[in-house]
Amino acid sequence: MNIVVETGRFVKDPEIRRTAQSGMAVAGVTLAVDRTGREKGRADFSACKAFDKAAETIGTYFHK
């Protein structure tokens, strides 16, 4: 498994939903991550998913 740590801003509020079979929480967020160096002033957009307890925490405490 790969682990990536990015620091950025939410593009919009997180979308929380539950799976049909198990009812597990799934949070979907999009991060805008600023570039550095020669491409300063531009941003990359990363779509991220969180599951179970992490998704519930994101839905409760995080917003744009």
Side-chain angles (χ1 to χ4, degrees), residues 12-54:
K12 59 183 179 178
D13 287 333
E15 296 177 8
I16 309 301
R17 61 183 177 83
R18 299 217 174 253
T19 59
Q21 291 180 344
S22 66
M24 180 173 57
V26 179
V29 297
T30 302
L31 289 177
V33 180
D34 290 329
R35 291 186 178 187
T36 59
R38 286 188 284 181
E39 296 182 345
K40 191 171 183 174
R42 298 183 67 180
D44 291 319
F45 296 91
S46 300
C48 304
K49 297 267 187 212
F51 299 92
D52 208 19
K53 285 292 206 181

